[in-house]
Amino acid sequence: MKDLSGFEEEIHYTFRDKSLLLTALTHSSYANEQPDKPPYNERLEFLGDSVLGVVTADYLFHTYPNEPEGELTRRRAELVCEDSLFAFAKEIHLGDYMRLGRGEERTHGRERPSILADAFEAVIAAIYEDAGIERAREHILRFLKAHKDLNNKKKDYKTMIQEVIQQNREEKLEYVLAHESGPDHDKRFVVELHLNSNVIGTGEGRSKKHAEQEAAHEALRLMGLEK
C-alpha cells in the first residue's frame, strides 16, 4: 500500500480526518486478519452509493432538461454501474492504495472490478463525511463530466438489431454463451448471436452484457447498418 498523501494528490483533496480515508481504503479481508479488527469500508460504501446517486441524478436532471425520465434513468445506470466505477477508480490508481488481506493480494484483488467500484463509493462517502455534500459533489462531477460524452455516444446495438429483425415476426434472435475464460477477477466472455439457427455475430467482453452488445454490433456491421 502506498502513502495516502499520494492518493490525496490523485483526488485533489486533503482530508482533515485521515482515518476516514484509511477506512475507505480498507477491505474487509484486511480487517479480518488484524488482531484489533480495524473498521473497513462497507459502511462507507453504503453511504457513498446514496451520495453518488443523488449527485448523479441532480447533474443529469439539470444537464438534460428536455429528456424524459426513462432516458435519464438509462444515463444514470450507465454512469454508476460497476464497469464505470471501476474505470473511475483506475483513473486515480485507487487499487494501489488499498489495504487487502493476503488472500485478496494473491488473487489480484487490487484489480478486481467489484472491490475497486465499492472502494470508489467509500471514498465518496469519506469526502462527504469530512467536508460535506458540496465537496463530495465536486469530486463526483470530475468523473461524470469527463465521461458524459462517452455516455452520449454509446449505442444500444441489441435494441437496434432487435428493431431490424422484428420486422419479420418469424425470425428469432438468441444470444448464446460460447466461451468463458479467465480467473474471477478478470473474466472474459464470448457470446454468439443466433438468428434462428445461424450465427450472425460474435462478441467478446468482460461481462456477458458487453459481449452481447459486441455480438449485436458485429451483426449490424455485416448487414451494412453500422460501421
Side-chain angles (χ1 to χ4, degrees):
M1 175 181 173
K2 294 184 177 180
D3 185 82
L4 292 185
S5 62
F7 186 70
E8 290 178 320
E9 291 180 9
E10 293 278 3
I11 63 174
H12 311 310
Y13 178 73
T14 301
F15 279 82
R16 292 174 293 182
D17 183 353
K18 305 294 185 184
S19 68
L20 283 167
L21 177 57
L22 189 62
T23 299
L25 297 174
T26 301
H27 190 255
S28 58
S29 62
Y30 176 88
N32 291 334
E33 291 179 358
Q34 306 306 310
D36 58 342
K37 302 296 182 186
Y40 50 92
N41 64 10
E42 289 182 4
R43 281 175 51 84
L44 285 174
E45 174 207 335
F46 165 79
L47 177 58
D49 177 71
S50 295
V51 175
L52 174 64
V54 169
V55 170
T56 303
D58 179 75
Y59 169 69
L60 293 174
F61 182 83
H62 290 97
T63 302
Y64 303 102
N66 299 317
E67 287 194 350
E69 181 268 346
E71 183 62 18
L72 294 175
T73 299
R74 183 194 68 79
R75 289 183 184 276
R76 181 178 60 186
E78 289 285 352
L79 286 170
V80 304
C81 71
E82 182 178 289
D83 284 350
S84 293
L85 299 185
F86 176 52
F88 298 163
K90 289 195 296 183
E91 287 181 20
I92 53 178
H93 305 101
L94 193 154
D96 293 344
Y97 297 90
M98 290 202 68
R99 296 200 295 181
L100 299 175
R102 290 185 293 272
E104 290 295 347
E105 288 281 13
R106 286 195 299 269
T107 56
H108 306 284
R110 295 185 188 278
E111 303 166 12
R112 186 171 301 169
S114 60
I115 289 178
L116 293 186
D118 290 349
F120 185 83
E121 291 181 326
V123 169
I124 289 172
I127 295 173
Y128 171 78
E129 286 290 285
D130 196 57
I133 186 65
E134 289 307 318
R135 190 60 188 82
R137 186 193 308 275
E138 289 178 22
H139 174 72
I140 294 167
L141 290 182
R142 167 187 169 189
F143 300 93
L144 298 190
K145 289 180 177 179
H147 288 257
K148 173 174 67 69
D149 291 337
L150 293 176
N151 181 256
N152 288 342
K153 296 173 184 176
K154 193 166 186 176
K155 295 183 179 180
D156 184 352
Y157 297 114
K158 290 179 66 176
T159 297
M160 291 170 65
I161 197 165
Q162 184 66 43
E163 291 173 349
V164 172
I165 299 302
Q166 70 184 9
Q167 297 175 23
N168 187 339
R169 295 184 179 179
E170 296 179 358
E171 305 287 3
K172 179 184 177 183
L173 284 175
E174 182 181 10
Y175 293 89
V176 178
L177 179 62
H179 185 62
E180 179 179 335
S181 62
D184 289 342
H185 71 277
D186 190 24
K187 285 284 190 184
R188 303 295 296 183
F189 300 90
V190 177
V191 169
E192 294 176 345
L193 175 54
H194 292 206
L195 177 59
N196 301 323
S197 59
N198 300 313
V199 178
I200 62 171
T202 302
E204 181 177 350
R206 289 181 48 252
S207 67
K208 292 179 184 177
K209 179 180 177 182
H210 184 214
E212 289 173 356
Q213 286 286 350
E214 289 301 310
H217 191 190
E218 181 179 81
L220 288 165
R221 286 200 303 267
L222 293 174
M223 293 177 184
L225 299 176
E226 275 292 319
K227 294 182 180 180

